[in-house]
Amino acid sequence: MQKTFLYFILLSYSFCFAQPQKPSSAEIYNKLEKLNFLGTALYIAAHPDDENTRLISFLSNDVKARTGYLSLTRGDGGQNLIGLELRELLGVIRTQELIEARKVDGGEQFFSRANDFGFSKVPNETLQIWDKEKVLQDMVWVIRKFRPDIIINRFDHRTPGSTHGHHTSSAMLTQEAYTLAADANYEPEQLKFTKVWQPKRVMFNVSWWFFGGKDKFDKADKSKYINLQTGVYYPTLGVSNQEIAALSRSKHKSQGFGSTGVRGDDMEYLEIIKGETPKDKQNLFEGIDTSWNRVKGGKAIGEAITTILKNYDFKNPAASVPALVKVYSEIGKIEDEYWKELKQQEIKEIIAGCSGLYIEAVAETQSATPGNSLKIKWEAINRSSVPMTLNTIALLPENRTIEVKADLGNNISNENTIDAIVPLKTAYTSPYWLTEKGDAGMYKVSDLQKIGRPDIIREMKVAFYINIEGTSIPFERTIVYKYNDPVAGEVYQPFDVIPAVTTHIINRVQLFKDNKSQFTSVVIRAGKDNCEGSLKLELPDGWKVSPVSIPFNLSAKGSEITVTFEVTPPSAPSEITVRSIATIDGKEFDRDQIIINYPHIVSQQVLLPSIAKFTKADLKIKGQNIAYIMGAGDNIPESLKQMGYDVTLLTPNDITTETLKNYDAVVVGIRAYNVLDALAFKQNILFDYVENGGNMVVQYNTTGSLVTQNIAPYTLRISRDRVTEENAKVTFLDPENPVLNYPNKITDNDFKGWVQEQGLYYPDEWAKEFTPIFKSCDKGEETKKGGLLVAKYGKGYYIYTGLSFFRELPEGVSGAYRLMANLIAVGR
C-alpha cells in the first residue's frame, strides 16, 4: 500500500484528547525524583523537529531537570505530508505535534512570535523579515520566566550560510539573549512579572551534520567537547532513552519524521560557548546547586522528599501521601515564588497519583457561546484509604464557589452536575497567536503574559478544593467534553467557546477567466439556538455582488444553511480579498470555524477571518481532461478545476496504458516520487504515454528517499537548489518557447505577487534533451536554471518543475495559473 494512502486510512477516523492523568507507580516515583531536583535546562532552535529529543529526554528522565524546548517558530513554512493544511494551519498542527512530543519525552514547550516564512539561506535575510528586536524580547521573556541554569543550542552561531537562516539565527540570538536576560535595563516591563536571570552556561549541541557526514564526524577529534553518555536504560519504565526519544520524534508526523527506537551506548557532544566548562563531563549542572539547598528554607524539604523516596512502596504509593501533604505545606512557606509555584504544582499531581485521586469536569456539549448556560458534570473519587473531603468547587473564570462537603471514601464515586454560565467576556477558543493580524515575519500578540505559551488558552476550568490530612489543596482541571464511541470507547475532546455564528466561503479561491458573473456560495453555521440575521459579502470597488445581503434564520445550534451570491468581476485583471460578514442584532461576526482533527494531536478549533481570494485573470486553456497523481498532498486539483479542466485523481494502481489514453495531460503532485512506492513500477507506462503524444508535468521532489532514480525518461538529477525570494527576477532563456507563449503570453508580470518562495529542489544536472526555460536566483547567488525544464520525448513532452505551484495556485496567483495552463497545453 502506498505511503500516502496509508496515511489517509489512518486519518479517516480522527479523535484525540488527553484523558486525565493516571500515572503508574513507576511514573509516580519518577515524578518524586524530579521533585527533588531544582535545576532547569532550555534547548533552543528554530522549528518544530529541530530539537534533539534524545538530549531532552536524557535531561528530563535521567538528570531529572526541568527541561524546555524553545522553538522560535511554529513551523508554518514547511510542507505537510498528512493533509492539505499549509501556512498558519500547518503551524497549528506542528505546534500540537511539539506539545505531544514533550508529553512523551518529559519536556515543556515554548515559542516566540516569529513566523516561519519559509526557507531562508542566510541569517541576514531571516533577521530582516523577522523583527529581530521582538524575537529577542520573546527569548529574554522565556529565559526570565523559565530560569534555565543551562542553555543548549541546536545550531552554531558562528557558521552563517551553512544551514537554514532560521537555524543560525536561533543560535546567534541566543548569545544576545543570554546577556540581555540579566540586564535590568532591558525590557523593564517584563520585570513587573518576573526577574532578571543569568544562565550558568550556554552550549552548542555538536552533530555530524556540521562535519559533512557521519564518516567525517567519526574520524574527527571530539576530545574538546563534552562527551555525554545518553544511551541510558530506565528499568522502572522498561525503555531506553533512545526509545523514548524515537517515540517523541515520531510525533512529527506532518513532516514524515517517524523514528525507530534503538538501544545501547549513545553519545551527545556539547561545546561550551559561554560559562565554565564542567570538570565532570557527565554533569552539565556542575557548579549549580540543584538541591533544595538553593532555596532559603529548602533544606528540610529536600531531606523530607529524600525520606519519602527511600520509603516509597511501589505496591502502595498511597502510604506516602501523609508525608507528601506535609511537604506541600512546607513548600507553600518558601519565599521564592518561582520554585514555590512550580514545586507545589508538581507535588499536587504526585499526591493525586499516589492516592489514585481521579477528578474531572465534563461539559454536556462540546461547545458553547459567551453568555450561554452550561451543565457541567463533575466526578471525584479517592482510590486509597487516605481520608479526604471535597469541600468546595470553584468555577473559573466565573469565580463562583459551590459548597460540596463530600467525604471521599475509599473507592466510592462522588459526582454531580453544576449549572454554569460562560462569561460574556470569555475569549473564543482559537490559537491566540492568530487572533490579531501579523505580518510576513511575525505574529502579533499584544498580551505579554501570553507570549511564549505553546497552546490555545482555555479559560473554562474547575478547581476542586480537597482537604487531605488537614490541609486544603486546590486541584484545577480544564473543562472537557467526552462521549462514548462504539468503536473507540471513551473519547475525550476539548471544550470550545465559539461565536454565535460562523461563515465559510466555499471556494477559498475563485477564478474569473472572463467578464461573466459567477455564483459564490457561503455556508452559515449556528453556534447557538435561534440565530437570525443577515449575511453580506464585502468587496472592493469595481466588483459587483447581488443581492447586497441575504437574511438567514437558524433555529438549532449546529444547523447550517448555504446561501449564494452572484459576483461580477471588473473588465481588467484584478486580485482581491472578499470578506463574509454575518450580522445578528447589530453585532457583526466574520469568523470562519476550521476544525483540524488528526488522531495524533488534540482536535483544534481555529477561528480565522472568513475571507476568500477572487482573481480576475486573463487566462486561456487548451486541453480538457487532466489526470492528477496526488503525492504528499496539495490543493492543486481544486485549482485546476477552477481553471476549467476536468480533473481525475489517479492512484498508481489506476495507471494503465488504456486509462492514460483518456487524458490530455498527466500532472504528478508534489513529492510523489518520495511517498508513492508503487509509482516506481508505473514509470514505463507513463513514459510510453508521453512517447505516444501525451504531456506529463512533474512537480518537485526532495533529494532523499526517491522511490526510483528514473523519474524522467532522460538523465535528471534533483538537488537542494532553490530560490527562496518569491519575487526574484526571472530571465527567460528561450523566449520563443511555446511554454512562454501558448495559449498565454508569459511576461515578467506573471512572476509578481508570488508567495513564500519561487521554487525549491531544482535539478542541477540534466540531459541535453531538456530545455531550461528561465533562470533566476536569490540576491548574491549564482543563477539557477533548473526551475522549469521541458523535453520532447517521442511525440509528447515531459516537463519537470520545481516552481512552487502548490503554494501559488491555492493563493490565487494569476501568473501561476497562466503558466500552469501553458505547461498543460505544450504540444497542442
Side-chain angles (χ1 to χ4, degrees):
M1 181 178 289
Q2 278 70 34
K3 296 174 188 173
T4 296
F5 294 101
L6 177 59
Y7 266 128
F8 284 122
I9 289 173
L10 290 173
L11 299 179
S12 63
Y13 198 83
S14 298
F15 54 86
C16 177
F17 193 62
Q19 294 191 17
Q21 286 189 347
K22 304 168 189 174
S24 68
S25 184
E27 289 168 333
I28 295 169
Y29 188 80
N30 237 13
K31 292 176 184 287
L32 269 170
E33 290 182 308
K34 289 178 75 73
L35 183 67
N36 218 21
F37 189 95
L38 278 70
T40 307
L42 182 63
Y43 202 90
I44 299 179
H47 310 105
D49 72 48
D50 283 345
E51 82 275 26
N52 184 341
T53 54
R54 295 188 183 199
L55 192 48
I56 290 175
S57 175
F58 176 80
L59 290 168
S60 178
N61 296 299
D62 187 79
V63 179
K64 309 300 180 184
R66 184 187 187 197
T67 307
Y69 174 44
L70 170 56
S71 175
L72 295 191
T73 77
R74 296 178 183 269
D76 328 76
Q79 284 86 52
N80 185 358
L81 291 183
I82 62 171
L84 303 180
E85 298 87 355
L86 292 174
R87 291 303 303 147
E88 66 271 7
L89 295 182
L90 176 58
V92 171
I93 292 173
R94 298 187 72 186
T95 291
Q96 290 302 312
E97 289 177 338
L98 270 183
I99 291 170
E100 293 300 321
R102 298 295 79 79
K103 290 177 185 177
V104 173
D105 58 37
E108 299 175 48
Q109 188 58 51
F110 305 96
F111 294 95
S112 82
R113 287 171 290 176
N115 191 336
D116 179 7
F117 55 83
F119 193 88
S120 177
K121 294 177 179 176
V122 291
N124 285 348
E125 180 199 32
T126 298
L127 297 176
Q128 286 173 0
I129 299 175
W130 286 352
D131 187 323
K132 177 186 174 183
E133 286 308 312
K134 287 182 180 176
V135 179
L136 260 179
Q137 290 166 12
D138 295 356
M139 295 176 75
V140 168
W141 172 249
V142 171
I143 290 171
R144 287 173 172 175
K145 292 280 285 182
F146 191 62
R147 290 169 57 169
D149 297 303
I150 62 174
I151 291 176
I152 303 172
N153 275 136
R154 183 47 148 168
F155 301 103
D156 191 348
H157 68 286
R158 300 158 296 193
T159 56
S162 63
T163 182
H164 198 316
H166 297 180
H167 292 167
T168 311
S169 294
S170 70
M172 292 169 63
L173 292 173
T174 298
Q175 313 313 309
E176 295 187 52
Y178 167 84
T179 302
L180 292 173
D183 183 354
N185 294 316
Y186 181 77
E187 290 300 310
E189 279 293 309
Q190 296 181 3
L191 302 181
K192 294 177 181 178
F193 309 101
T194 186
K195 297 179 180 180
V196 295
W197 184 254
Q198 181 66 78
K200 184 76 171 180
R201 54 181 62 97
V202 177
M203 292 168 275
F204 163 47
N205 188 190
V206 182
S207 168
W208 61 265
W209 302 343
F210 304 95
F211 286 76
K214 291 183 179 179
D215 55 336
K216 294 179 181 179
F217 187 56
D218 290 340
K219 297 173 184 176
D221 178 14
K222 295 183 280 293
S223 60
K224 65 179 180 179
Y225 305 131
I226 295 173
N227 289 211
L228 189 66
Q229 296 173 352
T230 57
V232 181
Y233 174 68
Y234 304 116
T236 58
L237 301 177
V239 290
S240 70
N241 186 66
Q242 303 99 307
E243 287 171 318
I244 292 175
L247 291 171
S248 173
R249 183 74 171 166
S250 296
K251 294 297 182 180
H252 295 294
K253 298 186 187 303
S254 67
Q255 303 301 293
F257 282 130
S259 298
T260 299
V262 296
R263 292 141 291 278
D265 290 340
D266 196 21
M267 197 77 71
E268 289 293 334
Y269 300 92
L270 298 156
E271 178 184 0
I272 297 292
I273 303 298
K274 293 182 182 292
E276 295 180 3
T277 302
K279 295 177 183 178
D280 179 359
K281 299 299 178 67
Q282 299 305 304
N283 182 11
L284 302 184
F285 287 86
E286 185 181 272
I288 303 165
D289 190 349
T290 57
S291 73
W292 274 94
N293 293 336
R294 81 182 291 175
V295 176
K296 182 181 177 181
K299 182 179 179 182
I301 295 173
E303 290 172 350
I305 296 171
T306 299
T307 300
I308 293 170
L309 282 163
K310 183 179 178 180
N311 297 326
Y312 183 75
D313 185 347
F314 281 86
K315 292 185 177 180
N316 183 25
S320 298
V321 170
L324 286 167
V325 172
K326 289 180 182 178
V327 172
Y328 170 83
S329 296
E330 291 304 309
I331 292 174
K333 298 174 184 177
I334 65 176
E335 297 175 7
D336 190 317
E337 290 297 325
Y338 171 81
W339 289 113
K340 180 179 1 185
E341 181 181 349
L342 176 67
K343 292 301 181 179
Q344 274 204 320
Q345 186 59 39
E346 286 183 18
I347 199 169
K348 280 196 295 185
E349 296 312 319
I350 292 171
I351 291 169
C354 284
S355 61
L357 177 61
Y358 181 92
I359 46 181
E360 70 174 15
V362 179
E364 64 176 342
T365 62
Q366 194 273 321
S367 63
T369 61
N372 271 189
S373 60
L374 179 71
K375 288 190 180 297
I376 299 171
K377 180 182 178 181
W378 61 264
E379 177 184 357
I381 181 168
N382 165 28
R383 291 171 287 187
S384 75
S385 59
V386 178
M388 296 185 189
T389 302
L390 174 59
N391 288 326
T392 58
I393 290 174
L395 293 170
L396 305 174
E398 271 189 82
N399 291 319
R400 179 161 61 93
T401 300
I402 300 166
E403 188 171 305
V404 179
K405 291 292 183 183
D407 288 332
L408 302 183
N410 186 1
N411 211 31
I412 297 174
S413 179
N414 288 266
E415 57 185 47
N416 211 329
T417 301
I418 308 169
D419 290 320
I421 298 289
V422 181
L424 281 171
K425 293 185 178 181
T426 306
Y428 299 139
T429 305
S430 190
Y432 69 87
W433 60 95
L434 298 177
T435 300
E436 300 181 72
K437 184 173 176 57
D439 55 37
M442 299 294 294
Y443 286 118
K444 184 177 180 181
V445 181
S446 301
D447 185 349
L448 176 63
Q449 296 281 47
K450 293 179 179 178
I451 291 172
R453 296 177 67 168
D455 206 354
I456 287 174
I457 298 170
R458 300 182 185 276
E459 300 179 57
M460 298 289 291
K461 298 179 181 181
V462 172
F464 297 78
Y465 288 83
I466 299 178
N467 188 290
I468 307 174
E469 297 286 321
T471 300
S472 179
I473 303 177
F475 295 88
E476 193 175 274
R477 295 291 183 264
T478 300
I479 294 173
V480 298
Y481 172 71
K482 72 176 181 179
Y483 64 93
N484 186 73
D485 182 271
V487 176
E490 187 178 51
V491 175
Y492 280 78
Q493 288 186 331
F495 169 74
D496 293 332
V497 180
I498 63 175
V501 65
T502 55
T503 66
H504 173 72
I505 304 173
I506 291 178
N507 289 330
R508 184 172 174 267
V509 172
Q510 190 152 345
L511 180 65
F512 294 78
K513 297 188 295 179
D514 50 39
N515 296 333
K516 294 179 181 178
S517 61
Q518 294 185 20
F519 292 104
T520 297
S521 295
V522 183
V523 178
I524 309 169
R525 181 179 175 83
K528 63 176 185 176
D529 292 340
N530 302 317
C531 285
E532 184 176 0
S534 63
L535 182 77
K536 67 178 180 179
L537 288 184
E538 187 177 78
L539 294 94
D541 292 341
W543 290 74
K544 297 178 181 179
V545 60
S546 178
V548 173
S549 66
I550 299 176
F552 64 84
N553 190 343
L554 297 168
S555 59
K557 174 184 175 181
S559 60
E560 296 179 352
I561 187 174
T562 301
V563 298
T564 301
F565 295 89
E566 186 174 9
V567 176
T568 306
S571 57
S574 174
E575 293 181 11
I576 66 161
T577 297
V578 59
R579 188 161 69 118
S580 172
I581 304 172
T583 303
I584 299 176
D585 296 329
K587 184 176 180 179
E588 292 188 344
F589 297 88
D590 66 347
R591 299 287 108 171
D592 185 354
Q593 182 190 48
I594 301 160
I595 303 297
I596 298 176
N597 201 10
Y598 289 101
H600 68 297
I601 62 174
V602 173
S603 176
Q604 299 292 292
Q605 171 178 275
V606 184
L607 297 172
L608 294 177
S610 184
I611 58 176
K613 179 82 170 284
F614 282 6
T615 298
K616 168 64 190 306
D618 179 12
L619 174 67
K620 303 179 184 67
I621 66 170
K622 293 294 179 182
Q624 190 64 41
N625 296 316
I626 308 297
Y628 198 91
I629 302 170
M630 187 71 77
D634 58 57
N635 272 319
I636 289 181
E638 287 304 312
S639 298
L640 295 175
K641 291 176 184 177
Q642 286 268 333
M643 293 168 69
Y645 298 109
D646 294 328
V647 182
T648 303
L649 295 181
L650 296 185
T651 70
N653 290 336
D654 298 325
I655 299 172
T656 66
T657 301
E658 286 302 312
T659 299
L660 296 185
K661 287 179 180 179
N662 300 318
Y663 300 107
D664 299 308
V666 174
V667 181
V668 182
I670 61 173
R671 300 175 76 166
Y673 290 101
N674 297 125
V675 299
L676 299 180
D677 293 334
L679 202 53
F681 307 106
K682 299 292 184 173
Q683 286 299 87
N684 288 338
I685 296 174
L686 288 166
F687 293 160
D688 287 346
Y689 162 77
V690 176
E691 191 172 24
N692 291 324
N695 186 5
M696 182 175 177
V697 180
V698 179
Q699 299 176 83
Y700 93 93
N701 292 270
T702 66
T703 54
S705 302
L706 289 167
V707 299
T708 175
Q709 294 300 314
N710 300 316
I711 64 173
Y714 305 115
T715 300
L716 182 74
R717 188 180 77 172
I718 299 170
S719 75
R720 299 184 66 85
D721 287 351
R722 62 173 77 206
V723 178
T724 63
E725 296 170 16
E726 56 267 24
N727 290 318
K729 179 176 172 52
V730 171
T731 301
F732 299 132
L733 298 172
D734 186 9
E736 303 306 315
N737 195 289
V739 167
L740 299 176
N741 293 279
Y742 182 80
N744 304 290
K745 177 66 176 178
I746 303 300
T747 69
D748 292 342
N749 287 333
D750 289 299
F751 286 89
K752 292 179 180 178
W754 284 45
V755 299
Q756 188 162 329
E757 59 195 340
Q758 198 174 87
L760 62 169
Y761 292 100
Y762 291 176
D764 62 353
E765 289 185 12
W766 52 83
K768 60 180 178 57
E769 286 82 2
F770 281 105
T771 299
I773 303 301
F774 68 85
K775 64 180 180 181
S776 65
C777 65
D778 291 324
K779 291 183 181 69
E781 293 194 351
E782 294 182 0
T783 57
K784 296 173 177 59
K785 301 180 180 180
L788 179 57
L789 303 171
V790 180
K792 187 80 186 297
Y793 182 66
K795 299 177 182 178
Y797 288 85
Y798 176 94
I799 300 171
Y800 189 91
T801 179
L803 291 172
S804 60
F805 285 109
F806 74 104
R807 296 195 189 281
E808 313 311 323
L809 295 181
E811 291 296 327
V813 178
S814 57
Y817 281 118
R818 286 161 49 82
L819 183 55
M820 176 58 80
N822 283 17
L823 300 186
I824 290 172
V826 166
R828 300 201 172 277

